[in-house]
Amino acid sequence: MTTTAAATSLDLDADEERVTRAQRLLVQLGAALVARPFDTGTHEKLRAFLDEDAEPVLASLAALSRRPEAELRSRIAELAGHALRSAGGTA
């Protein structure tokens, strides 16, 4: 996978960047599969992701999910540029 300018401009750590890049790629591949379900190029890209990148992405996702909720909320707020309501807060 290639690094996108958007992912690197946010100062993401390695796990955040890996998961973000994978999510973007998988959304693109999913849309391509819906639009052209038998396109061999799309299938090859999906296979390459599964063979080469899926395991480290899943490891990064697991690492992110082990972070405490307060740390995750703080990080999201930092990246989004605004404060988040606490868990259980009203909209």
Side-chain angles (χ1 to χ4, degrees):
M1 279 186 292
T2 59
T3 302
T4 62
T8 57
S9 68
L10 294 175
D11 294 328
L12 301 176
D13 67 30
D15 289 321
E16 293 166 343
E17 184 175 351
R18 187 174 295 115
V19 170
T20 299
R21 286 187 291 121
Q23 181 181 17
R24 289 178 181 158
L25 174 66
L26 291 171
V27 167
Q28 290 172 351
L29 290 174
L33 286 169
V34 169
R36 295 173 310 282
F38 301 107
D39 180 73
T40 57
T42 302
H43 286 252
E44 289 172 10
K45 289 176 186 174
L46 181 56
R47 280 191 192 105
F49 171 80
L50 293 171
D51 291 342
E52 300 165 15
D53 297 320
E55 190 172 328
V57 169
L58 291 173
S60 289
L61 188 58
L64 291 173
S65 65
R66 286 191 299 271
R67 293 181 184 179
E69 182 180 348
E71 180 183 335
L72 292 172
R73 288 184 168 280
S74 173
R75 187 66 175 133
I76 291 167
E78 177 185 341
L79 293 171
H82 59 80
L84 297 177
R85 297 177 193 264
S86 63
T90 58

Coordinates of all heavy atoms in Angstrom, one line a residue:
M1 N 0.8 -1.2 0.0 CA 0.0 0.0 0.0 C 0.9 1.2 0.0 O 1.9 1.2 0.6 CB -0.9 0.0 1.3 CG -2.1 -0.8 1.2 SD -3.2 -0.7 2.6 CE -2.2 -1.4 3.9
T2 N 0.4 2.3 -0.6 CA 1.2 3.5 -0.6 C 0.6 4.5 0.4 O -0.5 4.4 0.8 CB 1.1 4.2 -2.0 OG1 -0.3 4.5 -2.3 CG2 1.7 3.3 -3.1
T3 N 1.5 5.3 0.9 CA 1.1 6.3 2.0 C 0.4 7.4 1.3 O 0.9 8.0 0.3 CB 2.4 6.8 2.7 OG1 3.0 5.6 3.3 CG2 2.0 7.8 3.8
T4 N -0.7 7.8 1.9 CA -1.4 9.0 1.3 C -1.0 10.3 2.0 O -0.6 10.2 3.2 CB -2.9 8.8 1.5 OG1 -3.2 8.8 2.8 CG2 -3.4 7.5 0.8
A5 N -1.1 11.4 1.3 CA -0.7 12.7 1.9 C -1.6 13.0 3.1 O -1.1 13.5 4.1 CB -0.8 13.8 0.8
A6 N -2.9 12.6 3.0 CA -3.8 12.9 4.1 C -3.4 12.2 5.4 O -3.5 12.7 6.4 CB -5.2 12.6 3.7
A7 N -3.0 10.9 5.2 CA -2.7 10.1 6.4 C -1.4 10.7 7.1 O -1.3 10.8 8.3 CB -2.5 8.7 6.0
T8 N -0.4 11.1 6.3 CA 0.8 11.5 6.9 C 0.7 13.0 7.4 O 1.4 13.3 8.3 CB 2.0 11.4 5.9 OG1 1.7 12.2 4.7 CG2 2.3 10.0 5.5
S9 N -0.1 13.8 6.8 CA -0.2 15.2 7.3 C -0.9 15.3 8.6 O -0.8 16.4 9.3 CB -1.0 16.0 6.2 OG -2.4 15.6 6.2
L10 N -1.5 14.3 9.2 CA -2.1 14.3 10.4 C -1.2 13.8 11.6 O -1.6 13.8 12.7 CB -3.4 13.4 10.4 CG -4.5 13.9 9.5 CD1 -5.7 12.9 9.5 CD2 -5.1 15.2 10.0
D11 N 0.0 13.5 11.3 CA 0.9 13.0 12.2 C 0.4 11.7 13.0 O 0.4 11.6 14.2 CB 1.3 14.0 13.3 CG 2.1 15.2 12.6 OD1 2.9 14.9 11.7 OD2 2.0 16.3 13.1
L12 N -0.1 10.8 12.2 CA -0.6 9.5 12.7 C 0.6 8.7 13.2 O 1.7 8.7 12.6 CB -1.4 8.8 11.7 CG -2.6 9.5 11.1 CD1 -3.2 8.6 10.0 CD2 -3.6 9.8 12.2
D13 N 0.4 7.9 14.2 CA 1.4 7.0 14.6 C 1.3 5.8 13.6 O 0.4 5.7 12.8 CB 1.4 6.5 16.0 CG 0.1 5.7 16.4 OD1 -0.4 5.0 15.6 OD2 -0.3 5.8 17.6
A14 N 2.3 4.8 13.7 CA 2.3 3.8 12.7 C 1.1 2.9 12.7 O 0.6 2.6 11.6 CB 3.5 2.9 13.0
D15 N 0.5 2.6 13.8 CA -0.7 1.8 13.9 C -1.9 2.6 13.3 O -2.7 2.0 12.5 CB -1.1 1.4 15.3 CG -0.1 0.3 15.8 OD1 0.3 -0.6 15.1 OD2 0.2 0.4 17.0
E16 N -2.0 3.8 13.6 CA -3.1 4.6 13.1 C -3.0 4.8 11.6 O -4.0 4.6 10.9 CB -3.1 6.0 13.7 CG -3.4 6.0 15.2 CD -3.0 7.3 15.9 OE1 -2.3 8.1 15.3 OE2 -3.5 7.5 17.0
E17 N -1.8 5.0 11.1 CA -1.6 5.2 9.7 C -1.9 3.8 8.9 O -2.6 3.8 7.9 CB -0.2 5.6 9.3 CG 0.0 5.9 7.9 CD 1.3 6.5 7.5 OE1 2.1 6.9 8.4 OE2 1.6 6.5 6.3
R18 N -1.4 2.7 9.4 CA -1.6 1.4 8.8 C -3.1 1.1 8.7 O -3.6 0.7 7.7 CB -0.9 0.3 9.6 CG -0.9 -1.0 8.9 CD 0.0 -2.0 9.7 NE 1.4 -1.6 9.6 CZ 2.1 -1.2 10.7 NH1 1.5 -1.2 11.9 NH2 3.3 -0.8 10.6
V19 N -3.9 1.3 9.8 CA -5.3 1.0 9.8 C -6.1 2.0 8.9 O -7.0 1.6 8.1 CB -5.9 1.1 11.2 CG1 -7.4 1.0 11.2 CG2 -5.3 -0.1 12.0
T20 N -5.7 3.3 8.9 CA -6.3 4.3 8.1 C -6.1 4.0 6.6 O -7.1 4.0 5.8 CB -5.8 5.7 8.4 OG1 -6.1 6.0 9.8 CG2 -6.4 6.8 7.5
R21 N -4.9 3.7 6.2 CA -4.6 3.3 4.8 C -5.4 2.1 4.4 O -6.0 2.0 3.3 CB -3.1 3.1 4.6 CG -2.3 4.4 4.6 CD -0.9 4.2 4.2 NE -0.1 3.5 5.2 CZ 0.5 2.3 5.0 NH1 0.5 1.8 3.9 NH2 1.1 1.7 6.0
A22 N -5.4 1.1 5.3 CA -6.2 -0.2 4.9 C -7.6 0.1 4.8 O -8.3 -0.4 3.9 CB -5.9 -1.2 6.0
Q23 N -8.2 0.9 5.7 CA -9.6 1.2 5.6 C -10.0 1.9 4.3 O -10.9 1.5 3.6 CB -10.1 2.1 6.8 CG -11.5 2.4 6.7 CD -12.0 3.3 7.9 OE1 -11.2 3.9 8.5 NE2 -13.3 3.3 8.1
R24 N -9.2 2.9 3.9 CA -9.4 3.6 2.6 C -9.3 2.6 1.4 O -10.1 2.7 0.5 CB -8.4 4.7 2.5 CG -8.7 5.9 3.4 CD -7.7 7.0 3.3 NE -8.0 8.0 4.3 CZ -7.2 8.9 4.7 NH1 -5.9 8.9 4.2 NH2 -7.6 9.8 5.5
L25 N -8.3 1.8 1.4 CA -8.1 0.8 0.4 C -9.3 -0.1 0.3 O -9.8 -0.4 -0.8 CB -6.8 0.1 0.5 CG -6.6 -1.0 -0.5 CD1 -6.4 -0.5 -1.9 CD2 -5.4 -1.9 -0.1
L26 N -9.7 -0.7 1.4 CA -10.8 -1.6 1.4 C -12.1 -1.0 1.0 O -12.9 -1.7 0.4 CB -10.9 -2.3 2.8 CG -9.7 -3.2 3.1 CD1 -9.7 -3.7 4.6 CD2 -9.6 -4.4 2.2
V27 N -12.3 0.2 1.4 CA -13.6 0.9 1.0 C -13.5 1.0 -0.6 O -14.5 0.8 -1.3 CB -13.8 2.2 1.7 CG1 -14.8 3.1 1.0 CG2 -14.1 2.0 3.1
Q28 N -12.4 1.4 -1.1 CA -12.2 1.6 -2.5 C -12.4 0.2 -3.3 O -13.1 0.2 -4.3 CB -10.9 2.2 -2.9 CG -10.7 3.6 -2.5 CD -9.3 4.1 -2.7 OE1 -8.4 3.3 -3.0 NE2 -9.0 5.4 -2.6
L29 N -11.8 -0.8 -2.7 CA -12.0 -2.1 -3.3 C -13.4 -2.6 -3.2 O -13.9 -3.2 -4.2 CB -11.0 -3.1 -2.7 CG -9.5 -2.9 -3.0 CD1 -8.7 -3.9 -2.2 CD2 -9.2 -3.0 -4.5
G30 N -14.0 -2.4 -2.1 CA -15.4 -2.8 -1.9 C -16.3 -2.1 -3.0 O -17.2 -2.7 -3.6
A31 N -16.1 -0.8 -3.2 CA -16.9 -0.1 -4.2 C -16.6 -0.6 -5.6 O -17.5 -0.7 -6.4 CB -16.6 1.4 -4.1
A32 N -15.4 -0.9 -5.8 CA -15.0 -1.4 -7.1 C -15.6 -2.8 -7.4 O -16.1 -3.1 -8.5 CB -13.5 -1.5 -7.3
L33 N -15.7 -3.6 -6.3 CA -16.3 -4.9 -6.5 C -17.8 -4.8 -6.7 O -18.4 -5.6 -7.4 CB -16.1 -5.8 -5.2 CG -14.7 -6.3 -5.1 CD1 -14.5 -6.9 -3.7 CD2 -14.4 -7.4 -6.1
V34 N -18.5 -3.8 -6.1 CA -19.9 -3.6 -6.3 C -20.1 -3.1 -7.8 O -21.0 -3.6 -8.5 CB -20.5 -2.6 -5.3 CG1 -21.9 -2.2 -5.7 CG2 -20.5 -3.2 -3.9
A35 N -19.3 -2.2 -8.2 CA -19.4 -1.6 -9.6 C -19.1 -2.6 -10.7 O -19.7 -2.7 -11.7 CB -18.6 -0.4 -9.7
R36 N -18.0 -3.4 -10.4 CA -17.5 -4.3 -11.4 C -17.1 -5.6 -10.7 O -15.9 -5.9 -10.5 CB -16.3 -3.7 -12.1 CG -16.6 -2.5 -13.0 CD -15.4 -1.8 -13.5 NE -14.3 -1.5 -12.6 CZ -14.3 -0.5 -11.7 NH1 -15.3 0.3 -11.6 NH2 -13.3 -0.4 -10.9
P37 N -18.1 -6.5 -10.4 CA -17.8 -7.6 -9.5 C -16.8 -8.7 -10.1 O -16.3 -9.5 -9.4 CB -19.2 -8.3 -9.3 CG -20.1 -7.6 -10.2 CD -19.5 -6.3 -10.7
F38 N -16.6 -8.6 -11.4 CA -15.8 -9.6 -12.0 C -14.5 -9.1 -12.6 O -13.8 -9.7 -13.4 CB -16.5 -10.4 -13.1 CG -17.8 -11.1 -12.6 CD1 -19.0 -10.6 -12.9 CD2 -17.7 -12.2 -11.8 CE1 -20.2 -11.2 -12.4 CE2 -18.8 -12.8 -11.3 CZ -20.0 -12.3 -11.5
D39 N -14.1 -7.9 -12.2 CA -12.9 -7.2 -12.6 C -11.7 -7.9 -12.0 O -11.5 -7.9 -10.8 CB -12.9 -5.7 -12.3 CG -11.7 -5.0 -12.7 OD1 -11.5 -4.8 -14.0 OD2 -10.8 -4.7 -11.9
T40 N -10.9 -8.5 -12.8 CA -9.7 -9.3 -12.3 C -8.7 -8.4 -11.6 O -8.1 -8.9 -10.7 CB -9.1 -10.1 -13.4 OG1 -8.7 -9.3 -14.5 CG2 -10.0 -11.2 -14.0
G41 N -8.6 -7.2 -12.1 CA -7.6 -6.3 -11.4 C -8.0 -6.0 -10.0 O -7.1 -5.9 -9.1
T42 N -9.3 -5.8 -9.7 CA -9.8 -5.5 -8.4 C -9.5 -6.8 -7.5 O -9.1 -6.7 -6.4 CB -11.3 -5.2 -8.4 OG1 -11.4 -4.0 -9.2 CG2 -11.8 -4.9 -7.0
H43 N -9.8 -7.9 -8.1 CA -9.6 -9.2 -7.3 C -8.1 -9.3 -7.0 O -7.8 -9.8 -5.9 CB -10.1 -10.4 -8.1 CG -11.6 -10.5 -8.1 ND1 -12.3 -11.4 -7.5 CD2 -12.5 -9.7 -8.8 CE1 -13.6 -11.3 -7.6 NE2 -13.8 -10.2 -8.4
E44 N -7.2 -9.0 -7.9 CA -5.8 -9.1 -7.7 C -5.4 -8.2 -6.5 O -4.5 -8.5 -5.7 CB -5.0 -8.8 -8.9 CG -5.1 -10.0 -10.0 CD -4.5 -9.6 -11.3 OE1 -3.8 -8.6 -11.4 OE2 -4.7 -10.4 -12.3
K45 N -5.9 -7.0 -6.5 CA -5.6 -6.0 -5.5 C -6.1 -6.5 -4.1 O -5.4 -6.3 -3.1 CB -6.2 -4.6 -5.8 CG -5.5 -3.9 -7.0 CD -6.2 -2.6 -7.3 CE -5.6 -2.0 -8.5 NZ -6.3 -0.8 -9.0
L46 N -7.2 -7.1 -4.1 CA -7.8 -7.6 -2.8 C -6.9 -8.8 -2.4 O -6.6 -8.8 -1.2 CB -9.2 -8.0 -3.0 CG -9.9 -8.5 -1.8 CD1 -9.8 -7.6 -0.6 CD2 -11.4 -8.9 -2.1
R47 N -6.6 -9.6 -3.3 CA -5.7 -10.8 -2.9 C -4.4 -10.3 -2.4 O -3.8 -10.8 -1.4 CB -5.5 -11.7 -4.1 CG -6.6 -12.6 -4.3 CD -6.2 -13.7 -5.3 NE -7.4 -14.4 -5.8 CZ -8.0 -14.3 -7.0 NH1 -7.5 -13.4 -7.9 NH2 -9.1 -14.9 -7.3
A48 N -3.8 -9.3 -3.0 CA -2.5 -8.8 -2.6 C -2.6 -8.2 -1.2 O -1.7 -8.4 -0.3 CB -2.0 -7.7 -3.6
F49 N -3.7 -7.5 -0.9 CA -3.9 -6.9 0.4 C -4.0 -8.0 1.4 O -3.3 -8.0 2.5 CB -5.2 -6.0 0.5 CG -5.5 -5.7 1.9 CD1 -4.8 -4.6 2.5 CD2 -6.4 -6.4 2.6 CE1 -5.1 -4.3 3.8 CE2 -6.7 -6.0 3.9 CZ -6.0 -5.0 4.6
L50 N -4.8 -9.0 1.1 CA -5.0 -10.1 2.1 C -3.7 -10.9 2.3 O -3.4 -11.3 3.4 CB -6.1 -11.1 1.6 CG -7.5 -10.5 1.6 CD1 -8.5 -11.4 0.9 CD2 -8.0 -10.2 3.0
D51 N -2.9 -11.1 1.3 CA -1.6 -11.8 1.4 C -0.5 -11.1 2.1 O 0.3 -11.6 2.8 CB -1.1 -12.3 0.0 CG -2.0 -13.4 -0.6 OD1 -2.8 -14.0 0.1 OD2 -1.9 -13.5 -1.9
E52 N -0.5 -9.7 1.8 CA 0.7 -9.0 2.2 C 0.4 -8.0 3.4 O 1.3 -7.8 4.2 CB 1.2 -8.1 1.0 CG 1.6 -8.9 -0.1 CD 1.8 -8.1 -1.4 OE1 1.8 -6.9 -1.3 OE2 1.8 -8.7 -2.5
D53 N -0.8 -7.5 3.5 CA -1.0 -6.4 4.5 C -2.0 -6.7 5.5 O -2.1 -6.0 6.6 CB -1.5 -5.2 3.7 CG -0.4 -4.6 2.8 OD1 0.7 -4.6 3.1 OD2 -0.8 -4.2 1.7
A54 N -2.9 -7.7 5.4 CA -4.0 -7.9 6.3 C -3.5 -8.2 7.7 O -4.0 -7.7 8.7 CB -4.9 -9.0 5.8
E55 N -2.5 -9.1 7.8 CA -2.0 -9.5 9.2 C -1.4 -8.3 9.9 O -1.8 -8.1 11.1 CB -0.9 -10.6 9.0 CG -0.6 -11.2 10.4 CD 0.3 -12.4 10.2 OE1 0.2 -13.2 9.2 OE2 1.1 -12.7 11.1
P56 N -0.5 -7.5 9.4 CA -0.1 -6.3 10.1 C -1.2 -5.3 10.4 O -1.2 -4.7 11.5 CB 1.0 -5.7 9.3 CG 1.1 -6.5 8.0 CD 0.2 -7.6 8.1
V57 N -2.1 -5.2 9.5 CA -3.2 -4.3 9.8 C -4.1 -4.8 11.0 O -4.4 -4.0 11.8 CB -4.1 -4.1 8.5 CG1 -5.4 -3.4 8.9 CG2 -3.4 -3.3 7.5
L58 N -4.4 -6.1 11.0 CA -5.1 -6.6 12.1 C -4.4 -6.5 13.4 O -4.9 -6.2 14.5 CB -5.5 -8.1 11.8 CG -6.5 -8.3 10.7 CD1 -6.6 -9.8 10.4 CD2 -7.8 -7.7 11.1
A59 N -3.0 -6.6 13.4 CA -2.2 -6.4 14.6 C -2.3 -5.0 15.0 O -2.4 -4.7 16.2 CB -0.8 -6.8 14.3
S60 N -2.3 -4.0 14.1 CA -2.4 -2.6 14.5 C -3.8 -2.3 15.0 O -3.9 -1.5 16.0 CB -2.1 -1.7 13.2 OG -0.7 -1.8 12.9
L61 N -4.8 -2.9 14.4 CA -6.1 -2.7 14.9 C -6.3 -3.2 16.3 O -6.9 -2.5 17.2 CB -7.1 -3.3 14.0 CG -8.6 -3.1 14.2 CD1 -8.9 -1.6 14.2 CD2 -9.4 -3.8 13.2
A62 N -5.7 -4.3 16.6 CA -5.7 -4.9 18.0 C -5.0 -4.0 18.9 O -5.5 -3.7 20.1 CB -5.1 -6.3 18.0
A63 N -3.9 -3.4 18.5 CA -3.1 -2.5 19.4 C -3.9 -1.3 19.7 O -3.9 -0.8 20.8 CB -1.8 -2.1 18.7
L64 N -4.6 -0.7 18.6 CA -5.4 0.5 18.9 C -6.6 0.1 19.8 O -6.9 1.0 20.6 CB -6.0 1.0 17.5 CG -4.9 1.6 16.6 CD1 -5.6 1.9 15.2 CD2 -4.3 2.8 17.2
S65 N -7.2 -1.0 19.7 CA -8.3 -1.3 20.5 C -8.0 -1.6 21.9 O -8.8 -1.6 22.8 CB -9.1 -2.5 19.9 OG -8.3 -3.7 19.9
R66 N -6.7 -1.8 22.2 CA -6.2 -2.0 23.6 C -6.0 -0.7 24.3 O -5.8 -0.7 25.5 CB -4.9 -2.9 23.6 CG -5.2 -4.4 23.4 CD -3.9 -5.2 23.6 NE -2.8 -4.8 22.8 CZ -2.5 -5.3 21.6 NH1 -3.3 -6.2 21.1 NH2 -1.4 -4.9 21.0
R67 N -6.0 0.4 23.6 CA -5.7 1.7 24.2 C -6.9 2.0 25.1 O -8.1 1.7 24.8 CB -5.5 2.8 23.1 CG -4.3 2.6 22.3 CD -4.1 3.7 21.3 NE -2.9 3.5 20.5 CZ -2.5 4.3 19.5 NH1 -3.2 5.4 19.2 NH2 -1.4 4.0 18.8
P68 N -6.6 2.7 26.2 CA -7.7 3.1 27.1 C -8.7 4.1 26.4 O -8.2 4.9 25.5 CB -7.0 3.8 28.2 CG -5.6 3.5 28.1 CD -5.3 3.1 26.7
E69 N -10.0 4.1 26.7 CA -11.0 4.9 26.1 C -10.6 6.4 26.2 O -10.7 7.1 25.2 CB -12.3 4.7 26.7 CG -13.4 5.6 26.1 CD -14.8 5.4 26.7 OE1 -15.0 4.4 27.4 OE2 -15.7 6.2 26.3
A70 N -10.1 6.8 27.3 CA -9.7 8.2 27.5 C -8.6 8.6 26.5 O -8.6 9.7 25.9 CB -9.3 8.5 28.9
E71 N -7.7 7.7 26.3 CA -6.6 8.0 25.3 C -7.1 8.1 23.9 O -6.8 9.0 23.1 CB -5.5 6.9 25.4 CG -4.4 7.1 24.4 CD -3.3 6.0 24.5 OE1 -3.2 5.3 25.5 OE2 -2.7 5.8 23.5
L72 N -8.0 7.2 23.6 CA -8.6 7.2 22.2 C -9.5 8.4 22.0 O -9.3 9.1 21.0 CB -9.5 5.9 22.1 CG -8.8 4.6 22.0 CD1 -9.8 3.5 22.0 CD2 -7.9 4.5 20.8
R73 N -10.3 8.8 23.0 CA -11.1 10.1 22.9 C -10.2 11.3 22.7 O -10.4 12.2 21.9 CB -12.0 10.2 24.1 CG -13.1 9.3 24.1 CD -14.1 9.6 25.2 NE -15.3 8.8 25.0 CZ -16.3 9.2 24.2 NH1 -16.2 10.3 23.6 NH2 -17.3 8.4 24.1
S74 N -9.1 11.3 23.5 CA -8.2 12.5 23.4 C -7.5 12.5 22.0 O -7.4 13.6 21.4 CB -7.1 12.3 24.5 OG -6.1 13.3 24.3
R75 N -7.1 11.4 21.5 CA -6.5 11.3 20.2 C -7.4 11.7 19.1 O -7.1 12.4 18.1 CB -5.9 9.8 20.0 CG -5.1 9.7 18.7 CD -3.8 10.5 18.8 NE -3.0 10.2 17.6 CZ -2.4 11.1 16.9 NH1 -2.5 12.4 17.3 NH2 -1.7 10.7 15.9
I76 N -8.7 11.2 19.1 CA -9.7 11.6 18.1 C -9.9 13.1 18.2 O -9.9 13.7 17.1 CB -11.0 10.8 18.4 CG1 -10.8 9.3 18.1 CG2 -12.1 11.4 17.5 CD1 -11.9 8.4 18.6
A77 N -10.0 13.6 19.3 CA -10.2 15.1 19.5 C -9.0 15.8 18.9 O -9.2 16.8 18.2 CB -10.4 15.5 20.9
E78 N -7.8 15.4 19.2 CA -6.6 16.0 18.6 C -6.6 16.0 17.1 O -6.4 17.0 16.4 CB -5.4 15.3 19.2 CG -4.1 15.8 18.6 CD -2.9 15.0 19.1 OE1 -3.0 14.2 20.1 OE2 -1.9 15.0 18.5
L79 N -6.9 14.8 16.5 CA -6.9 14.7 15.1 C -8.1 15.4 14.4 O -7.9 16.0 13.3 CB -7.0 13.2 14.7 CG -5.8 12.4 15.1 CD1 -6.0 10.9 14.8 CD2 -4.5 12.9 14.3
A80 N -9.2 15.5 15.1 CA -10.4 16.1 14.5 C -10.4 17.6 14.8 O -11.1 18.4 14.1 CB -11.7 15.5 15.1
G81 N -9.5 18.1 15.7 CA -9.4 19.5 16.0 C -10.5 20.0 16.9 O -10.8 21.2 16.8
H82 N -11.2 19.2 17.6 CA -12.2 19.7 18.5 C -12.4 18.7 19.7 O -11.9 17.6 19.7 CB -13.6 19.8 17.8 CG -14.1 18.6 17.2 ND1 -14.7 17.6 17.9 CD2 -14.0 18.1 15.9 CE1 -15.0 16.6 17.1 NE2 -14.6 16.9 15.9
A83 N -13.1 19.2 20.7 CA -13.4 18.4 21.9 C -14.6 17.5 21.7 O -15.5 17.8 21.0 CB -13.6 19.3 23.1
L84 N -14.5 16.3 22.2 CA -15.6 15.3 22.2 C -16.3 15.3 23.5 O -15.7 15.5 24.5 CB -15.0 13.9 21.9 CG -14.3 13.7 20.6 CD1 -13.7 12.3 20.5 CD2 -15.2 14.0 19.4
R85 N -17.6 15.0 23.4 CA -18.4 14.8 24.7 C -17.9 13.5 25.3 O -17.5 12.6 24.7 CB -19.8 14.8 24.3 CG -20.4 16.0 23.7 CD -21.8 15.8 23.3 NE -22.2 16.9 22.5 CZ -22.9 18.0 22.9 NH1 -23.2 18.1 24.2 NH2 -23.2 18.9 22.0
S86 N -18.1 13.5 26.6 CA -17.7 12.3 27.4 C -18.7 11.2 27.0 O -19.8 11.4 26.6 CB -17.7 12.6 28.9 OG -19.0 12.9 29.3
A87 N -18.3 10.0 27.3 CA -19.1 8.8 27.1 C -20.4 9.0 27.9 O -20.4 9.4 29.0 CB -18.4 7.5 27.5
G88 N -21.5 8.8 27.2 CA -22.8 8.9 27.9 C -23.3 10.4 27.9 O -24.4 10.7 28.4
G89 N -22.6 11.3 27.3 CA -23.0 12.7 27.1 C -24.1 12.8 26.1 O -24.4 11.9 25.3
T90 N -24.9 13.9 26.2 CA -26.0 14.1 25.3 C -25.5 14.9 24.1 O -24.6 15.6 24.1 CB -27.1 14.8 26.0 OG1 -26.7 16.0 26.4 CG2 -27.7 14.0 27.1
A91 N -26.2 14.7 23.0 CA -25.9 15.4 21.7 C -26.4 16.8 21.7 O -27.3 17.2 22.4 CB -26.4 14.6 20.5

